[in-house]
Amino acid sequence: MTWRPVGLTRDVPAGRVMRAWVDGQDAVVWRSTRGVLSAWDNRCPHRGMALSHGFVRGEDLACLYHGWHYGAEGGVCSLIPSHPDLTPPDTIKTRAFQSAESDGVIWVRLEGSPDLAPPAIAPGLDPLRSFEIRAREGDIAHGAAAKPFEPAILSLLFNPIAHDRTLVTVLIDAQATSDQRKLASRWCEDVRREVEA
Amino acid sequence: MSLAYARNDWYVIADRNSLEQGPRRTRLLGDEIHVSGSYAHPVIKDASGRMLPTQIKFDHVWTTVGDRPRPLFDIPEGNEPGRRLVPCGMVRVKCSPLRAVENFLDIAHFPFVHTDVLGAEPYTEVEPYKVEIREQNDEVWATKVKFFQPLAAKSAAGGITTDYEYRVPAPTTAVLYKTCPPKPEAQDVITIFVQPRSETECDVWPWMALYDDDTPYADLVQFQQMIFLQDRSILENQRPIKLPLDPRMEIPTRSDLTSVAYRRWLKKRGAFYGALAETL
Amino acid sequence: MSAAFTLYDYVLSGNCYKIRLFASLLAMPYQSVAIDFYPGYEHRSERMLSLNPAGTLPVMVTSAGGQVLTETNAMLAWMALHDGGAQTPWFPAVDPALGPQVQQGLAFGAGLTDSIGLARLHAMLDWPVDGEAAKRAGLKHLRALELHLTDRQIDGGLWWAGAHPTIADLACFPYVALSPDAGLEHDGFPAIRRWLYAVRSLPGFATMPGIHPLHELR
């Protein structure tokens, strides 16, 4: 399976949770209080609730519905609040995917050789923003190429999240000024408007 | 899928308030339904123009699309003198009608979903309670359910341990009996009548029969709406959307006895509309 | 403490929630009167129309002077000034840089009501409006907000404008936080998520149905 860029490191600080799509799989990406990043099946094994609505307590992610806790180490259920004295059987666990970070980008893949790192990004780039376009990767790349951004170097990463939706992660020359970054952010909107039209 | 069972149940399709707004279209079991007339004389038609039977019960208009409908269950408390009957309108939810019922039967989510109202940490423990299928009318009952609540009802001041009983008289109806703060010897009755628009979308019509003569109607309805709309954001985020009946797909614990009994009961009677009956 | 105002209130209304939330943040006591917006349509009753002929909720009646306010932005302004006078950080009305920015956010918040608010009423209560059109307008608003908050992030800011939350944040927060009620998820909007979290972390934050508390902070 391929590593997919699902967002920016700065968008998932310690204690935060987000949803991501990886090769059609609904995933939850979250960071523990101590900073451990995890990517799991976005589904509580208890009643199917999306874990991306959950909350972080220390090194656990808890489901919003009944507060069942799952530990960053292995995704095993560590607490069932309706029976606080019960030690949950370790068969209750979430399905874990691989996650990695490089150059300020979070990458997830469903499976694959653990040694294989995510693709390297050209040096000297800062993450700018990630956003969704209701179009396919090819059409977006085409639209972006037709509308070159002059003020600074940009690099675009694509993650297909449905047949007609793509998450685009944009990186910009680390030397770019604030004004150039804001212009680049507007350029993203322009590309989206044209590609979706 | 199995519409066969579901077609012969009765479902809420309107209430007085909705009829006063004029004719409207809705859906029942996947098909379009036309609702018009008045509360005294409701006119319910299917897409082909066929008149469907109606009956008025529990302050709502009920209909069925089946050829041999089962009799509509009774809620005898609704006829007790001194009770205030409170229809609460309708809330639409993109979820299986069965998930909406199952959530209503669950208390373990109170501290997390109805925080500081029906429950609060650290009072999360669910004590053992009793679940049975009552043979005489083939209903699911959960009794001796207790839970500590910081603000259990509009008429409650401060935290109390609330006693609950739950009753499932039909796959898309759940009835709750709970401690009534101003009248400890009696129980408030709170129900949801679920209109299955499809297997993955429903209109939920809450209805209450309370011993509370003091609280303004608007406050009673809004308390109920507050609780149900807190649940709605959960219900729209469960996957799969349909309720799995295979116990291997969703892992229960002891506090889920009611849910386990409800799922088994659905399976036994073949009430698969809104359920995921096959195994994965 | 005596009530600063009376609020004619509906529990599921995002606009009413703006006032409840701000009162909670300011610890400002008020008297709430529940109005049966749905299913009773009480906001269209003779009693309510004589108070507010426009038939909208909320309605605020101030305890001192008996002013009747029917626009949520005006209520937010009244509360900020009542609480902190002209120096209130919540409403820097005459600050040459921030004042216009806050006005921009207040007007944007009204646009959220007309788009996401309507889409939500349709999705939740089957309100007889064009739900799809309202949802499309809502998506445009979320994208515009994401762009604005990304700009703010580039400048090192967190709030709609300036270094302190203002009534512009409160005018925008409810319908953005409630947009999943209308099927508009927050997944593709990282800057919005960061800002929502910041508002939910404010001391004295109050919830409403559809907006859960931050359980991680307990």
Side-chain angles (χ1 to χ4, degrees):
Chain A
M1 305 299 279
T2 317
W3 286 104
R4 300 292 185 186
V6 299
L8 305 182
T9 288
R10 73 148 193 256
D11 292 333
V12 190
R16 302 291 172 88
V17 189
M18 76 166 189
R19 168 183 258 170
W21 293 91
V22 185
D23 293 316
Q25 168 73 49
D26 191 357
V28 55
V29 176
W30 67 282
R31 200 184 302 277
S32 75
T33 306
R34 283 211 295 266
V36 178
L37 185 78
S38 304
W40 295 344
D41 182 7
N42 188 18
R43 185 170 179 274
C44 178
H46 174 222
R47 285 295 175 256
M49 175 67 189
L51 286 171
S52 55
H53 288 255
F55 52 95
V56 177
R57 289 258 174 96
E59 301 308 292
D60 290 342
L61 176 63
C63 177
L64 178 61
Y65 196 0
H66 300 95
W68 288 28
H69 283 43
Y70 300 90
E73 292 297 324
V76 175
C77 182
S78 56
L79 176 71
I80 295 176
S82 63
H83 303 296
D85 300 329
L86 180 85
T87 303
D90 56 14
T91 48
I92 306 180
K93 58 184 291 193
T94 63
R95 192 150 64 94
F97 309 127
Q98 295 179 22
S99 59
E101 290 175 276
S102 67
D103 309 301
V105 176
I106 298 173
W107 302 80
V108 176
R109 66 174 173 176
L110 299 184
E111 53 195 48
S113 158
D115 322 325
L116 218 61
I121 297 168
L125 292 175
D126 268 357
L128 180 73
R129 62 180 292 203
S130 67
F131 66 107
E132 259 186 52
I133 300 187
R134 297 188 174 188
R136 292 161 202 252
E137 172 177 346
D139 296 332
I140 300 166
H142 186 76
K147 197 176 176 59
F149 182 70
E150 305 291 351
I153 295 169
L154 295 184
S155 175
L156 273 54
L157 307 171
F158 299 105
N159 179 28
I161 53 182
H163 74 279
D164 59 347
R165 284 166 63 205
T166 306
L167 183 79
V168 183
T169 296
V170 183
L171 301 106
I172 189 166
D173 186 343
Q175 307 297 318
T177 64
S178 290
D179 284 345
Q180 287 170 333
R181 288 166 197 244
K182 288 182 196 168
L183 281 173
S185 184
R186 269 163 187 72
W187 174 86
C188 296
E189 303 288 323
D190 296 343
V191 169
R192 173 159 65 190
R193 240 185 342 268
E194 281 185 25
V195 172
E196 287 186 354
Chain B
M1 168 71 186
S2 183
L3 265 170
Y5 184 95
R7 288 180 63 84
N8 285 308
D9 268 339
W10 289 85
Y11 300 101
V12 166
I13 202 82
D15 66 358
R16 183 187 295 276
N17 274 304
S18 69
L19 283 163
E20 282 173 0
Q21 301 306 306
R24 69 188 176 99
R25 289 176 188 181
T26 182
R27 300 191 83 82
L28 183 62
L29 302 173
D31 291 329
E32 190 164 297
I33 302 282
H34 295 252
V35 178
S36 60
S38 64
Y39 185 65
H41 300 286
V43 178
I44 314 293
K45 292 180 180 172
D46 70 9
S48 72
R50 179 173 69 114
M51 287 276 281
L52 298 178
T54 60
Q55 56 176 310
I56 309 283
K57 218 164 170 183
F58 322 126
D59 299 307
H60 288 81
V61 180
W62 297 71
T63 194
T64 178
V65 294
D67 303 323
R68 290 187 304 279
R70 296 169 201 94
L72 179 54
F73 54 84
D74 196 15
I75 303 176
E77 294 79 8
N79 302 320
E80 286 173 4
R83 282 198 190 258
R84 231 168 125 192
L85 306 180
V86 186
C88 298
M90 175 283 280
V91 177
R92 181 159 300 166
V93 191
K94 279 191 164 43
C95 75
S96 155
L98 307 180
R99 289 233 191 237
V101 168
E102 182 179 85
N103 171 73
F104 192 81
L105 304 173
D106 180 80
I107 54 172
H109 71 286
F110 288 174
F112 302 99
V113 180
H114 309 296
T115 312
D116 296 337
V117 183
L118 300 186
E121 292 182 274
Y123 310 104
T124 57
E125 182 159 11
V126 175
E127 302 286 344
Y129 57 89
K130 194 179 165 213
V131 178
E132 60 187 319
I133 308 293
R134 293 202 177 160
E135 303 244 331
Q136 71 270 29
N137 43 15
D138 196 21
E139 295 183 345
V140 182
W141 278 80
T143 53
K144 302 191 165 78
V145 185
K146 291 182 191 308
F147 207 69
F148 180 82
Q149 306 196 313
L151 174 63
K154 201 68 205 174
S155 53
I160 47 171
T161 295
T162 305
D163 295 308
Y164 286 94
E165 287 185 10
Y166 288 97
R167 171 189 173 207
V168 184
T172 57
T173 296
V175 185
L176 153 65
Y177 303 87
K178 73 190 279 191
T179 310
C180 166
K183 198 172 156 85
E185 74 282 9
Q187 286 178 309
D188 281 339
V189 175
I190 301 170
T191 73
I192 53 166
F193 306 128
V194 182
Q195 172 193 340
R197 291 173 57 82
S198 71
E199 291 197 271
T200 55
E201 188 177 57
C202 53
D203 285 352
V204 177
W205 304 81
W207 177 74
M208 306 190 285
L210 311 175
Y211 285 110
D212 182 340
D213 295 327
D214 304 325
T215 308
Y217 175 80
D219 292 82
L220 292 174
V221 172
Q222 289 186 41
F223 185 80
Q224 176 58 33
Q225 289 181 339
M226 169 181 75
I227 298 301
F228 190 70
L229 268 292
Q230 289 173 337
D231 288 318
R232 186 176 180 272
S233 57
I234 299 289
L235 289 169
E236 294 200 336
N237 286 290
Q238 284 176 279
R239 295 293 178 273
I241 298 179
K242 293 189 205 173
L243 184 75
L245 297 186
D246 179 348
R248 286 169 301 181
M249 276 193 67
E250 291 185 353
I251 303 166
T253 186
R254 284 205 306 275
S255 47
D256 296 318
L257 278 183
T258 317
S259 139
V260 169
Y262 174 61
R263 292 183 186 200
R264 279 193 196 139
W265 178 81
L266 291 172
K267 200 170 180 175
K268 189 169 160 235
R269 54 175 49 202
F272 294 145
Y273 193 79
L276 202 61
E278 70 273 27
T279 54
L280 280 187
Chain C
M1 285 236 289
S2 61
F5 58 88
T6 298
L7 183 70
Y8 295 84
D9 194 9
Y10 177 58
V11 69
L12 301 184
S13 156
N15 272 344
C16 295
Y17 171 60
K18 290 173 188 176
I19 309 307
R20 298 195 298 265
L21 171 58
F22 195 27
S24 180
L25 293 172
L26 295 175
M28 181 181 286
Y30 67 98
Q31 168 92 34
S32 174
V33 179
I35 299 300
D36 182 17
F37 175 86
Y38 178 81
Y41 304 97
E42 193 184 354
H43 55 299
R44 298 178 198 158
S45 66
E46 280 305 311
R47 170 174 82 119
M48 287 310 293
L49 288 175
S50 72
L51 192 61
N52 175 18
T56 55
L57 287 178
V59 178
M60 174 189 277
V61 181
T62 64
S63 299
Q67 275 190 81
V68 179
L69 297 177
T70 61
E71 295 291 339
T72 47
N73 288 342
M75 298 176 207
L76 293 171
W78 184 88
M79 292 167 75
L81 295 168
H82 183 73
D83 178 70
Q87 298 308 311
T88 173
W90 291 98
F91 185 35
V94 296
D95 182 296
L98 293 180
Q101 282 297 323
V102 170
Q103 295 295 346
Q104 170 95 0
L106 293 172
F108 189 83
L112 291 166
T113 306
D114 296 339
S115 53
I116 298 173
L118 269 190
R120 176 173 168 268
L121 275 179
H122 180 75
M124 205 167 75
L125 301 179
D126 194 23
W127 224 243
V129 294
D130 185 343
E132 281 307 311
K135 200 171 160 182
R136 281 194 300 275
L139 179 63
K140 279 188 186 168
H141 276 80
L142 289 182
R143 287 175 167 187
L145 178 62
E146 177 75 10
L147 179 66
H148 174 69
L149 293 174
T150 302
D151 276 1
R152 296 285 302 131
Q153 194 167 9
I154 289 169
D155 285 336
L158 180 57
W159 306 107
W160 175 278
H164 187 282
T166 63
I167 56 175
D169 294 284
L170 302 181
C172 295
F173 174 78
Y175 286 110
V176 175
L178 293 168
S179 72
D181 278 353
L184 291 162
E185 302 294 336
H186 299 143
D187 300 341
F189 301 102
I192 287 178
R193 288 203 307 271
R194 169 175 176 264
W195 168 78
L196 289 174
Y197 194 96
V199 175
R200 293 168 72 204
S201 307
L202 288 170
F205 178 77
T207 62
M208 75 164 270
I211 304 174
H212 295 274
L214 287 179
H215 292 290
E216 48 269 62
L217 300 185
R218 293 174 79 88

